[in-house]
Each structure stands twice: as structure tokens, then as C-alpha cells.
Amino acid sequence: MLKIVKTSLVIAASTLAFSNAAQANDINEALANICTIVQADDKGELRKKMRSVQSDFKLKLRDYYSGITCGGESLIRTALKNDAVEVGTLLVKKMPSKDLQAPEADGKTLSAWIAEQGLQSSPITAELNERI
């Protein structure tokens, strides 16, 4: 009897692990071209992408934002570098203000990075400053 229970648990755990890996691959595929969308400043396409990820995987922007980099930069930094004002302001509006104040992967906050890059005059920076 104990052997059957152990076997059932192993099968259930294996199925769950495979399911999680498959879902992670699906999420990666769904978000595959998000960097291109940000660089192109395509606000409509970004909204569509965010809606589909939320409906398909129950994930909001804050859930996957930190896991996405475009050439080593976050989505908001990518928008700032590419002067993608529409997309950048949307991203700033959709992120929780505490996350906007948190250090990113390189240890710098968005505000510190913006000052370092000389991007204080960007409309995205103005929106960021209103949020934090």
C-alpha cells in the first residue's frame, strides 16, 4: 500500500513539474517580442500583449517586469533609451510606485539611472517623478 502511495506522489510531482516548465515556456513565447514592441513605441500592441498575458496566465506587468531585459536593460530603461514616450509612460503608470523606486538588476534605481544617463528632460521621467 505504501509503495502505491509513493508511486502516486512521484507521478503527481513529475506531472506538476512538467506542467510548470511547459507554462514557463508558454509565458516566454507570449512575451518573446515585447522588447521590439517597446522599442517601436507601439502602445496598442503592448496593451494587447499585456492583456493576453493577464488573461492566459493570470499575470500582471509587475509579475514579469523584473524577469524581462532588452539588451540588459529593463523595459522602462529601454523605452527611455529609444524615446518611446507612449510605451514608457504606459509602463510607468502600470507599475506599482514602490517597484519604480526599487533598485533594478544593476543596483541602481530608475531615478539614479536617469540622472546618470542625462534623461531628465524625457516625458517618461516626468511621469515617473509624478508616480514616486
Side-chain angles (χ1 to χ4, degrees), residues 34 50 54 59-66 68 75 90-92 94-95:
I34 198 164
M50 289 167 48
Q54 185 169 355
L59 295 173
K60 294 189 177 207
L61 178 62
R62 69 174 170 260
D63 298 325
Y64 55 86
Y65 178 83
S66 63
I68 298 174
L75 293 174
L90 175 65
L91 290 168
V92 169
K94 292 288 185 181
M95 288 293 292

Side-chain angles (χ1 to χ4, degrees), residues 6 9 17 25 38 53-54 56 78 90 93 103 108 112 120 125:
K6 285 183 181 179
L9 288 173
N25 286 338
V38 171
V53 169
Q54 185 169 355
D56 294 349
T78 301
L90 175 65
K93 288 177 181 179
K108 297 176 187 169
Q120 296 91 336
T125 304

Side-chain angles (χ1 to χ4, degrees), residues 42-59:
D42 192 344
K43 183 178 175 181
E45 192 63 31
L46 180 62
R47 279 186 185 278
K48 191 177 355 175
K49 176 76 62 184
M50 289 167 48
R51 265 189 250 122
S52 74
V53 169
Q54 185 169 355
S55 67
D56 294 349
F57 305 105
K58 309 290 187 257
L59 295 173

Side-chain angles (χ1 to χ4, degrees), residues 53-119:
V53 169
Q54 185 169 355
S55 67
D56 294 349
F57 305 105
K58 309 290 187 257
L59 295 173
K60 294 189 177 207
L61 178 62
R62 69 174 170 260
D63 298 325
Y64 55 86
Y65 178 83
S66 63
I68 298 174
T69 59
C70 304
E73 301 290 348
S74 69
L75 293 174
I76 295 174
R77 287 183 181 185
T78 301
L80 281 158
K81 280 185 164 182
N82 289 283
D83 200 29
V85 175
E86 295 293 319
V87 165
T89 54
L90 175 65
L91 290 168
V92 169
K93 288 177 181 179
K94 292 288 185 181
M95 288 293 292
S97 62
K98 67 178 174 81
D99 290 352
L100 294 172
Q101 297 173 31
E104 294 196 356
D106 62 358
K108 297 176 187 169
T109 63
L110 276 171
S111 297
W113 182 85
I114 288 168
E116 185 178 278
Q117 298 294 314
L119 297 169

